Amino acid sequence: MGDGGLLSLSWNNHKATFCHILSTLREKERYTDVTLACEGKFYPVHKLVLSTCSEYFESMFEHTPCKHPIIVLKDLKSDEVESLLSYMYAGVVNVAQNDLARLIKAAELLKVKGLAVPDEPPQEVENRKNSPPRSSRDDRSSPHPKRRRRDDSDGVAGEQHGTNASPPASPRTSPYHAASEFHQDNSRTHNEGHVSEHRTEKSIDRLEHDVRSDAKSTGDLNPDQHNPAKPCSPLQVMLEETLVKEEIMDHLPEDKDSLMGSGMDYGSMTSDGRLENSSSDGGTQEHQLLSAKYEQQSLAPSQTHHLPEAVVEALAGPSGMQGWLGGGGDMSGTFSGVDSYGGDSRHQDLRQPLPTQQPQAHQMMVKSSRGGDARVSKYHGNRKTTHYCPYCSYSSHFVNNLKKHVYAHTGEKPFSCPHCAYCTNSPSHLKRHMNTHRGEKQFICSHCSYRTHRKDVIESHMWTQHGTQESLPASSE
DNA sequence: CAGCAGGGGGCGA
DNA sequence: CGCCCCCTGCTGG
């Protein structure tokens, strides 16, 4: 609206920056709204990107109003998926010559533009627009086959799904999950959460498209109890995993979703560590690429953290925690173990999306990632600082309280009983529990023969049974 | 079925 | 550490 001179402001390296941010968002699993599942691995990504780069996904999302669908790529290999995602996000992917055919084939299946579909040739685009979206799903042979190679079809046809499909235990390979999941066997309080779900399976192009509608229920990850109604094909097992993840995500603030996603924490969840930690695959080369970029662009260090590392930092050190908490949520994606959320109903409120913990814009993360540490409390007991939970509205002046609280979110239970499988997130709980093994019942009711090892219990007993709060002090035995 | 005991989780301090 | 609350299993009416 300027009547004066018209200024043209141009962002010099907008494309590069944009791509970078996009990749960062993906890496941090921020704002992801769709999860690709392949060979037991889960890739939280963005519909926007997928649909932009792939007709197939575009069409799919058009027909799936689902908030956070989980798409099972049944006949692709994870490295192919990784490569394609790399391609879509970064616009580049390094692939071994030997793998090229496979990759192209996979791209064809997914109709990835530029690989399988001509990259925006005007005419083609026109044709596509005129044709109903479904055509792309229904017919692989339609428009895109600039690089089609049917001769390669055997290359990707191999049924890989579910092979190492990280059955229940897999995601727990993360140290953050291990305990949290394991202990549930002795937890009685975890109610089985049933996810309201609907599966839309499509056997298009040998892909199985699994979509789950908004999951509402609490998820009990107890593998033993999980959704008994379902058949247990390898694929289904994998789906159960994704199911849990999704429902959790749905309950978390958007930002947290991603974190949680990280809960799946691909690097750690995949026992082979291929996705995150290895660089042997074409897809993972992108990770290296991105990391390099980060350094060059001197982004906030925290952004370059792999999630598990960040979690360790956050939980191990007060400063880490504080930085993360106060850093505009940039570390919010670092929590693993969301998937280990217990089904305990009491957890539910914690998962309610909270406006106060809204994800911050990317620039915000960058901006505050360092500065946020300014008020870091070095000591657990520092009451001057309020520590906020990234998952809910909880806050505490005590870092330790927050830690325990966050443990409840992540499911992490670092304190384990040497005598049984009991694990807890609180040392005091462990101590209390240990008393049950000792068999000592120091607290004796002065009105009856009742005795217990818990003070609160004896008091409760005294009050309810005898209408008094008097009780014998702890016995010396 | 109600009441109690046992055990556990979360939280304040 | 203490407190409160919850859930589950047991038991007696």
Side-chain angles (χ1 to χ4, degrees):
Chain A
M1 309 302 168
D3 351 73
L6 198 60
L7 298 179
S8 173
L9 303 178
S10 75
W11 187 346
N12 278 342
N13 54 346
H14 173 270
K15 286 181 182 176
T17 305
F18 199 76
C19 281
H20 168 66
I21 291 175
L22 211 53
S23 296
T24 302
L25 289 178
R26 179 193 162 210
E27 187 165 281
K28 296 175 73 63
E29 299 166 19
R30 185 152 299 203
Y31 311 126
T32 55
D33 50 7
V34 58
T35 298
L36 300 185
C38 180
E39 291 190 307
K41 296 180 181 179
F42 303 93
Y43 306 92
V45 287
H46 305 87
K47 285 180 185 175
L48 176 67
V49 174
L50 292 190
S51 57
T52 298
C53 300
S54 160
E55 274 182 77
Y56 178 84
F57 286 117
E58 181 182 11
S59 173
M60 181 181 291
F61 297 142
E62 277 179 16
H63 294 81
T64 52
C66 183
K67 215 179 187 178
H68 190 127
I70 292 167
I71 300 170
V72 178
L73 303 175
K74 191 176 175 184
D75 293 327
L76 296 184
K77 292 181 179 177
S78 57
D79 64 322
E80 294 165 354
V81 173
E82 289 163 18
S83 294
L84 289 177
L85 288 176
S86 167
Y87 178 80
M88 288 191 243
Y89 273 83
V92 59
V93 61
N94 299 323
V95 57
Q97 274 196 329
N98 296 338
D99 297 332
L100 180 60
R102 274 198 311 134
L103 184 63
I104 297 298
K105 186 66 185 176
E108 284 180 9
L109 290 174
L110 299 179
K111 302 190 176 179
V112 177
K113 293 174 185 173
L115 276 181
V117 177
D119 192 7
E120 301 271 322
Q123 292 176 344
E124 298 275 340
V125 169
E126 276 301 82
N127 291 340
R128 272 210 302 275
K129 283 181 179 175
N130 294 337
S131 63
R134 78 170 59 227
S135 66
S136 61
R137 293 187 310 164
D138 295 343
D139 181 10
R140 253 190 65 212
S141 60
S142 41
H144 41 75
K146 181 177 179 182
R147 302 176 105 177
R148 258 162 119 209
R149 295 188 188 178
R150 287 202 173 268
D151 50 339
D152 294 337
S153 59
D154 51 351
V156 260
E159 283 287 312
Q160 298 291 333
H161 70 273
T163 48
N164 63 349
S166 52
S170 172
R172 287 56 146 171
T173 29
S174 158
Y176 310 105
H177 299 123
S180 59
E181 291 289 1
F182 178 68
H183 77 275
Q184 294 191 5
D185 60 348
N186 66 353
S187 171
R188 300 173 310 202
T189 61
H190 292 210
N191 298 326
E192 169 74 9
H194 282 284
V195 176
S196 68
E197 60 170 12
H198 74 264
R199 295 185 54 192
T200 307
E201 296 181 273
K202 303 173 182 179
S203 54
I204 308 154
D205 293 348
R206 293 171 301 155
L207 295 175
E208 178 153 351
H209 167 204
D210 187 279
V211 177
R212 298 178 186 280
S213 61
D214 300 343
K216 307 286 188 216
S217 71
T218 67
D220 187 333
L221 300 184
N222 187 337
D224 298 325
Q225 301 179 3
H226 215 58
N227 207 345
K230 285 207 159 268
C232 292
S233 70
L235 174 60
Q236 303 266 352
V237 171
M238 179 168 67
L239 292 179
E240 294 311 323
E241 295 294 317
T242 65
L243 170 83
V244 170
K245 177 185 178 187
E246 187 203 16
E247 66 190 19
I248 287 163
M249 291 172 135
D250 275 353
H251 286 285
L252 288 164
E254 197 164 321
D255 185 23
K256 278 49 178 191
D257 295 4
S258 39
L259 339 186
M260 283 340 244
S262 68
M264 304 303 276
D265 184 56
Y266 313 138
S268 46
M269 76 171 276
T270 57
S271 49
D272 54 3
R274 255 190 301 165
L275 177 56
E276 187 104 356
N277 301 325
S278 93
S279 55
S280 57
D281 292 345
T284 52
Q285 293 180 17
E286 180 213 15
H287 286 276
Q288 297 179 322
L289 200 72
L290 292 174
S291 294
K293 281 185 180 177
Y294 291 146
E295 291 166 11
Q296 289 174 1
Q297 304 193 11
S298 58
L299 281 183
S302 63
Q303 289 188 62
T304 65
H305 288 180
H306 285 297
L307 305 179
E309 296 171 5
V311 174
V312 170
E313 276 190 23
L315 292 179
S319 61
M321 174 69 91
Q322 183 62 0
W324 152 60
L325 293 171
D330 56 324
M331 298 296 286
S332 55
T334 60
F335 274 102
S336 65
V338 170
D339 56 336
S340 58
Y341 249 104
D344 191 343
S345 57
R346 280 170 289 179
H347 284 158
Q348 267 214 301
D349 55 329
L350 300 179
R351 285 176 280 177
Q352 297 305 321
L354 291 165
T356 57
Q357 301 296 335
Q358 281 311 306
Q360 302 300 314
H362 181 263
Q363 56 270 31
M364 177 72 168
M365 311 182 312
V366 176
K367 184 180 176 185
S368 58
S369 57
R370 278 188 185 279
D373 289 349
R375 49 185 193 121
V376 162
S377 141
K378 294 279 184 183
Y379 308 99
H380 287 209
N382 189 338
R383 303 186 188 190
K384 294 177 181 176
T385 306
T386 302
H387 308 275
Y388 298 94
C389 173
Y391 297 126
C392 70
S393 59
Y394 174 82
S395 65
S396 173
H397 293 308
F398 298 88
V399 172
N400 280 340
N401 284 351
L402 180 62
K403 275 189 180 181
K404 286 190 289 184
H405 173 85
V406 169
Y407 282 152
H409 281 294
T410 64
E412 190 173 358
K413 301 190 174 186
F415 307 97
S416 57
C417 173
H419 305 303
C420 70
Y422 173 75
C423 298
T424 182
N425 56 25
S426 163
S428 63
H429 287 167
L430 177 60
K431 188 175 180 182
R432 182 179 66 183
H433 165 84
M434 296 287 279
N435 287 332
T436 67
H437 290 298
R438 290 199 192 93
E440 295 177 5
K441 297 185 176 181
Q442 311 102 312
F443 299 98
I444 306 169
C445 175
S446 56
H447 296 77
C448 69
S449 59
Y450 174 74
R451 45 198 304 169
T452 180
H453 59 85
R454 278 173 61 166
K455 187 181 178 183
D456 60 334
V457 170
I458 190 70
E459 287 175 350
S460 174
H461 164 87
M462 295 296 289
W463 185 251
T464 58
Q465 299 303 301
H466 309 298
T468 175
Q469 292 183 324
E470 295 175 17
S471 65
L472 294 179
S475 71
S476 58
E477 52 180 328

